[in-house]
Amino acid sequence: MAFKPNYNQQRAERNRAKEQRKQEKLQRREEGVAARRAGDPDGTETQDESLATDTDADAEIKTDTNNA
């Protein structure tokens, strides 16, 4: 072993990494809350858009079965 281990320094590095992970998680949660408050859940399409695409798909299926 070239150097004596510095346990306090290693612990401080672990604590800094832990605090950074906590801050990143908190930031992701706050961004999610802001997106939900803005009416954009998880950045995906809104419920109205998904309903519109479902009805379009149903209409296409109905027309295909009538032609067969």
Side-chain angles (χ1 to χ4, degrees), residues 13-37:
E13 288 175 5
R14 287 193 306 268
N15 287 339
R16 276 192 291 273
K18 181 179 176 182
E19 187 64 30
Q20 183 179 3
R21 287 191 303 272
K22 286 170 67 175
Q23 290 299 322
E24 290 171 356
K25 182 178 179 181
L26 179 62
Q27 183 179 3
R28 285 194 308 270
R29 290 177 128 196
E30 288 175 350
E31 289 172 357
V33 167
R36 285 192 298 278
R37 286 184 179 164

